[in-house]
Amino acid sequence: MVTVDLFRLARNDHVLGHVRILREHNRSFHAVVSYRDAKERRDTQSYRLIADTRNHAIMSVLNWANSEFGGHCALLPLKSAPRSLAFA
């Protein structure tokens, strides 16, 4: 798998976690969310989503985060892989 994008998951200027978008060789995309839920657990948790396209993976993460953390979540870009790697 190749890392396509890295994002910071934030809500109201508070960082909730990080999101890594990965592309498999068969062109499916995985979104891996690493986050901490300070209310319930102190250790890092992760959640994985699978999508057909990069945009669908991003939208799926936002939908999941809004339902998990109560809305108004945003993905702030940390890094983008070169186009040659992302869409090869």
Side-chain angles (χ1 to χ4, degrees):
M1 281 196 237
V2 176
T3 298
V4 178
D5 291 299
L6 294 172
F7 295 99
R8 180 175 291 129
L9 177 62
R11 180 175 183 251
N12 298 331
D13 294 331
H14 177 70
V15 175
L16 301 170
H18 294 90
V19 177
R20 181 182 299 257
I21 305 291
L22 306 164
R23 182 181 51 84
E24 276 193 81
H25 295 292
N26 65 1
R27 297 203 180 265
S28 65
F29 290 81
H30 294 249
V32 180
V33 183
S34 299
Y35 65 99
R36 284 196 179 158
D37 188 357
K39 296 176 194 171
E40 296 177 13
R41 302 176 77 179
R42 297 189 69 125
D43 57 337
T44 302
Q45 300 178 36
S46 64
Y47 189 78
R48 182 181 291 247
L49 298 149
I50 299 173
D52 294 330
T53 66
R54 176 182 167 269
N55 288 342
H56 186 239
I58 292 168
M59 292 306 297
S60 296
V61 167
L62 283 174
N63 288 334
W64 173 83
N66 283 330
S67 67
E68 182 75 16
F69 300 112
H72 304 289
C73 292
L75 294 178
L76 308 171
L78 289 175
K79 173 190 165 249
S80 289
R83 286 267 192 228
S84 59
L85 290 177
F87 299 100

